[in-house]
Every structure is written in C-alpha cells, then in structure tokens.
Amino acid sequence: MEWAWSGWLSPFEPPLAAWLLGPSLLLALGLLWLYRVLFAPLHLVRRLHDVGYVPEPGTERRQTANQVRWRRKRGDLPPVYPNGWYRLLGSRQLPAAAVKNVTVFGEQLAVYRGDDGRAYAVDAYCPHLGANLAVGGRVIGDCIECPFHGWQFRGHDGKCTVIPYAERVPDFARVRSWPLCEVNGALYVWFHCDRQEPGWSVPVQNEIQSGEWVFRGDTEHLINCHIQEIPENAADVAHLTHLHSPAILSGTDLRNTRCRRWGFMRHDWKVQWSEEPVPDRHCSRMLVNHTMHILGWRCPLLDLHVVARQVSPTQDISHPRPRLIQRVPATLVAPACIWSYPFTRLPVS
C-alpha cells in the first residue's frame, strides 16, 4: 500500500502526518469556538418549558409546563395590554425594502422600511380580501403592495394610493397605520386601548445613539405570565435577598438552592427605586449593588453595580458596572471593548 501526501503534510512521513492531523483539527475547532465567543453576536432563545419547570419522573418538561398553565387560577386580570411603546425589532433586523410579520399586543403587523429609509407599521391584513401584506408584499417608495391584487398602502397614514385595475381609489380603502419611532437602535410601536396619540416619547440613550455602545447579542426567554408581572418582578426588591442570595451554582431547582452544600457562597443585594424627573416621569430607575461572599470573604472583583431604566411596558435598559469590567451594558447593547464580549454573552435568567 502506497501513501500519497500533498500540501503542508507532504514533507512528513505518513505516520507522523497522521499524528499531526488530529491535533491540527482540534486546534482549528478551538480557534473557531474562541472566535464565536469573542466576536460573533449571541442569539439565545429559551423556550417556554426550558426554565422554571421541574418535571416528575417520566414526564417531559413541555408536558409539565402545559399542566401548570391549565391549573393556574386566574383572578381579576388587569387590562390585557398596558398603554405605551412596545419594542418590535432591532434596527439591524429591518434593512432597506424589507418586510417583517410581527405579532404584538394581540395584533398582526406588517413592519417595513421604505425606500426613504423610514420604517412603518401597518395592520398585516389587507382590508380588501385579507391577504397578509407581510407575506410576499413588496415595498414601493413609502408604500407596501398587497401580494394578492397589487393594492398599495401608504405607511404614514395607511391610505390606499394605487389599485391597478381601478380608475380611482375610494377614500375608505385604507389599512390601519400604527405610530412608530426608531430610537436607541430599535423600532417601537405605540399602543393605546382608546387609540389615543402618543402621550410621551421613548427617551434617547445617548451612548447608543452616539455609537459608544454597540450590539453584541441578545437572549430571549419565553415565559408564562401576564405582561405586567415582568416590571412588577423587577420592582419587588424583597425577593432578591430571599430568592437570589443562594449561590448561582445551586441551579434553578428551588428544592436544592438552599441545601448546605452551597452554603459557602452567598450573594448580597441592595436595591433602590426612584422615578425620573420631567420630561421622563413615565420612566423609573433602579440602582442595584451586588456583592459575593465565598467562605465569608468578599470577592471585590465580582462586585456589580447596575443602573436599570424601565422606559416602556416592555423595555428596560440596564448598565451593569462590575469591578472587573467597568462598562458592560447587559441588555440590548454593549461597549465596543473586546474584553467585555464574554461577559455580555452570559444569559440572564
């Protein structure tokens, strides 16, 4: 049997080349993993049943999550969706002439970017025969064209401007247009149960607008709750000391988080809420100071000081400032500093 070697393996004898091939592949895989950790933006999605459910033996997590939903007692519910600005997409997710189908506050929206660079949001279903404008619809100027009959609707007011086979367009031919703004690298749509116009604006985060903070990835957690419970959980400072003091290594199963084996490690929290001054009285600010103790010794490098702003019913912007890395925003943005990348990629549960 004869061996034929080419390329960079040609100077080596066949046995030696075979030994070099394995470590070389491992090195290449290691470099690829390191590149993804340090440079590639993170996108992590946790499904509804991934976190927070402990299945009984022989039962799947998905089945346990569904059983909890069925057994949950519902009392007097607050309004289904609070009034305010809702985040739809990141600006980077909507390039020029793109159309996206977005489900938000119980509605189906067609979100698109016109040829003028401006983003628009309209009801997804054509008022003519109900075709979905976001499925096959084309962007023409500042209008979106229905894929079924070619009707064209203006983005800023929803008025139909073109019906290819009609000499005139009736005034009632229109689709609902939603107030939309683009700020802080994201698209927001305004919802009000009585269809009132926006009563306040999404505050500008100067670090994002100036490019000092840039996108480094996101995590998405699907959970079973009313939308109001999310900001209420953040405002519930009393639960931090009781629920989040045990070591992070103890996991998410609450039956085991307080067992003695993890007693050597403890998280300490100090939290303070305050409202912001005019014109941002609709926003609130939370200051969080965290320290970690291991065997009774405080670890200064793991100190964490967070400034979190609740800027809308569905959006807050947090700025963790650990001692190890001084500026690491943890939600939608992160500073353009290579050494912060591994920290911004950690999922937040």
Side-chain angles (χ1 to χ4, degrees), residues 20-338:
L20 290 175
L21 185 60
S24 299
L25 291 176
L26 291 177
L27 178 61
L29 292 175
L31 292 175
L32 178 61
W33 175 85
L34 190 63
Y35 169 81
R36 295 190 61 181
V37 169
L38 296 180
F39 298 100
L42 169 71
H43 180 63
L44 174 63
V45 177
R46 293 191 182 277
R47 296 166 295 177
L48 178 63
H49 56 276
D50 285 343
V51 178
Y53 299 97
V54 181
E56 297 294 333
T59 306
E60 297 181 352
R61 283 182 179 270
R62 186 189 302 272
Q63 183 179 355
T64 301
N66 287 331
Q67 289 176 352
V68 171
R69 294 173 66 185
W70 296 332
R71 294 196 302 261
R72 187 172 185 177
K73 182 179 180 180
R74 293 175 175 83
D76 295 330
L77 292 176
V80 180
Y81 302 104
N83 302 327
W85 291 98
Y86 287 74
R87 184 180 183 275
L88 293 176
L89 299 165
S91 297
R92 70 193 179 281
Q93 296 176 285
L94 194 71
V99 185
K100 299 286 186 180
N101 192 175
V102 179
T103 302
V104 62
F105 42 73
E107 301 285 348
Q108 296 287 330
L109 304 185
V111 184
Y112 68 96
R113 192 178 296 280
D115 293 338
D116 56 358
R118 182 179 172 185
Y120 302 94
V122 297
D123 277 350
Y125 298 111
C126 178
H128 178 210
L129 288 178
N132 192 325
L133 302 176
V135 181
R138 291 193 307 160
V139 175
I140 301 178
D142 63 347
C143 298
I144 184 170
E145 182 185 71
C146 176
F148 203 4
H149 294 92
W151 291 28
Q152 296 179 18
F153 299 92
R154 270 197 312 246
H156 68 273
D157 61 1
K159 180 74 173 63
C160 181
T161 59
V162 174
I163 298 178
Y165 47 85
E167 295 182 357
R168 59 180 296 271
V169 178
D171 292 337
F172 59 82
R174 64 176 61 237
V175 67
R176 182 179 180 183
S177 176
W178 294 79
L180 184 143
C181 70
E182 187 166 8
V183 64
N184 299 333
L187 302 173
Y188 296 85
V189 65
W190 173 262
F191 171 83
H192 196 283
C193 60
D194 295 325
R195 296 200 176 189
Q196 296 182 11
E197 293 298 312
W200 49 273
S201 302
V202 177
V204 175
Q205 194 70 35
N206 294 326
E207 293 87 348
I208 303 177
Q209 295 293 93
S210 66
E212 180 182 353
W213 294 349
V214 294
F215 176 77
R216 293 300 178 203
D218 57 10
T219 63
E220 180 179 336
H221 297 250
L222 305 180
I223 60 176
N224 177 28
C225 72
H226 190 278
I227 187 174
Q228 183 174 318
E229 296 181 41
I230 302 299
E232 284 183 351
N233 177 73
D236 179 16
V237 298
H239 89 283
L240 286 172
T241 300
H242 182 77
L243 185 63
H244 297 294
S245 287
I248 191 173
L249 300 177
S250 60
T252 59
D253 188 340
L254 299 181
R255 298 173 299 181
N256 302 324
T257 54
R258 293 186 172 275
C259 64
R260 291 186 176 182
R261 80 178 71 161
W262 305 112
F264 67 91
M265 182 184 297
R266 187 184 78 253
H267 301 272
D268 291 329
W269 305 87
K270 294 183 179 179
V271 183
Q272 180 181 358
W273 274 95
S274 62
E275 64 178 6
E276 296 195 1
V278 177
D280 295 331
R281 290 290 296 273
H282 57 278
C283 299
S284 58
R285 183 181 297 264
M286 180 177 66
L287 306 178
V288 181
N289 294 315
H290 163 269
T291 58
M292 178 181 287
H293 291 78
I294 300 179
L295 296 177
W297 176 75
R298 176 189 165 202
C299 304
L301 290 179
L302 298 179
D303 286 357
L304 186 63
H305 307 284
V306 179
V307 179
R309 299 180 70 200
Q310 186 76 38
V311 300
S312 78
T314 61
Q315 180 78 59
D316 67 52
I317 300 178
S318 304
H319 326 301
R321 297 171 182 264
R323 290 287 299 275
L324 190 60
I325 302 295
Q326 284 299 315
R327 294 179 65 83
V328 187
T331 50
L332 303 176
V333 292
C337 169
I338 184 173

